[in-house]
Structures are given as C-alpha cells and as structure tokens.
Amino acid sequence: MYSFDIAAGSKAELYRDLHAALDALTAGESDAVANMANAASLIWQVLPDLNWAGFYRNVGGELVLGPFQGKAACIRIPFGKGVCGTAAATRATQLVADVHAFPGHIACDAASSAELVVPVIHGDALVGVLDLDSPTANRFDAEDAAGCEALIRLLAPRIAG
Ligand code: SME
C-alpha cells in the first residue's frame, strides 16, 4: 500500500507534493505501462474536479489509448485531430477552457468541458500525451499547465519505453 502526504493548501503546494509522490512512486521502475498506470491513478486521486486522467501513446505516428482513470475512451486519435492530436502535432501544451469551442474536439465523455493536454517528449521523440479532462469549464489555468509540465518532465524518461 502507498500513502502520500499531499498538502490541501495552495495549488503550488498541491503540485509540489504531487511531484514528490510521483517521483517516489516511479523512481527505479523502468516499466512504462506500470509507471503510466500509477501516474494516472495518482493524478486522478490528487487533482480535484477531473472526469478523466490518462495517457495516449505515440504508436507509429498515431495516438493510441494508454493507462487512464475515468470512462472508457476513444482508442485511436490521429495527430492533428482534437485536443490530444493537436498537442501531439504541435508538441505544445493545450489549455482549453471549453472544449465545445475547440475545433475538432473529440467527445469521449459528454461530461467533459475543460481539457489540459501536455505532450510527453523524451530527447527528440514524442512519447505520447497526458490528457486531463474536467466537467467544469475553465477548470485549468497556467499554474495547472506548468505543474503538469513539471510532472511530465519527471516522468518522460520513465515512460519512454
Ligand atoms: N477529448 C480528447 C479526446 C480524448 S478524451 O477526452 C479521453 C480530444 O479532443 O483530443
């Protein structure tokens, strides 16, 4: 059993403690699936107001569903399509206040309103993306984006396979 000390104070404290917990949970483990699965679980437990949290992997230039928490989701997403495909194609974090206003958004769960997608880059390679969905519009801000980018910098070499 794992138990982590996560501060319930500011968002900065939340991401600081989440980073430390993720480091402890994945340090020394080289299996990409195990590390993505535990990362998705930890993020799901710690970050409030999510309805989906998980990974899509770059499999031969297409995003394929990886470990996640939430409802069953779309399995394959072409680069350039939807929020995840845009993050993969541009290698830039996508912070979307209202997915219904995002051209080409792929609705996997009708409850989703806001979305944050962070590309996972290791060396020159795009490993995949971290996708977070929330039922609350405007749920994610620049602090969430920076916090998740820091988590992904830690995790990238541990899920690169
Ligand atoms: N909404 C995403 C698809 C993935 S699901 O939300 C899990 C998108 O537009 O890329």
Side-chain angles (χ1 to χ4, degrees):
M1 187 189 102
Y2 292 99
S3 96
F4 299 106
D5 197 10
I6 308 284
S10 67
K11 202 177 266 197
E13 285 175 320
L14 191 67
Y15 278 104
R16 182 200 63 204
D17 288 355
L18 182 53
H19 190 279
L22 186 64
D23 190 17
L25 196 54
T26 57
E29 177 51 64
S30 60
D31 188 273
V33 173
N35 286 338
M36 282 188 279
N38 264 340
S41 169
L42 190 65
I43 290 167
W44 175 257
Q45 285 182 68
V46 170
L47 295 184
D49 201 19
L50 302 181
N51 64 312
W52 205 90
F55 294 87
Y56 281 88
R57 299 160 300 125
N58 176 9
V59 181
E62 184 180 33
L63 291 175
V64 182
L65 185 63
F68 70 95
Q69 301 277 315
K71 286 188 179 172
C74 330
I75 298 168
R76 293 175 184 271
I77 300 176
F79 277 29
K81 286 277 162 63
V83 186
C84 291
T86 300
T90 61
R91 297 190 174 201
T93 295
Q94 302 295 306
L95 181 55
V96 181
D98 177 6
V99 292
H100 305 294
F102 189 95
H105 162 249
I106 302 162
C108 289
D109 181 344
S112 298
S113 279
E115 189 159 356
L116 174 62
V117 183
V118 177
V120 183
I121 296 161
H122 182 57
D124 290 338
L126 180 88
V127 177
V129 301
L130 170 70
D131 181 19
L132 304 183
D133 287 23
S134 170
T136 304
N138 276 309
R139 158 67 182 81
F140 305 109
D141 60 15
E143 210 175 346
D144 292 295
C148 288
E149 285 168 349
L151 296 178
I152 288 306
R153 274 194 301 277
L154 169 74
L155 201 59
R158 303 176 185 180
I159 64 174

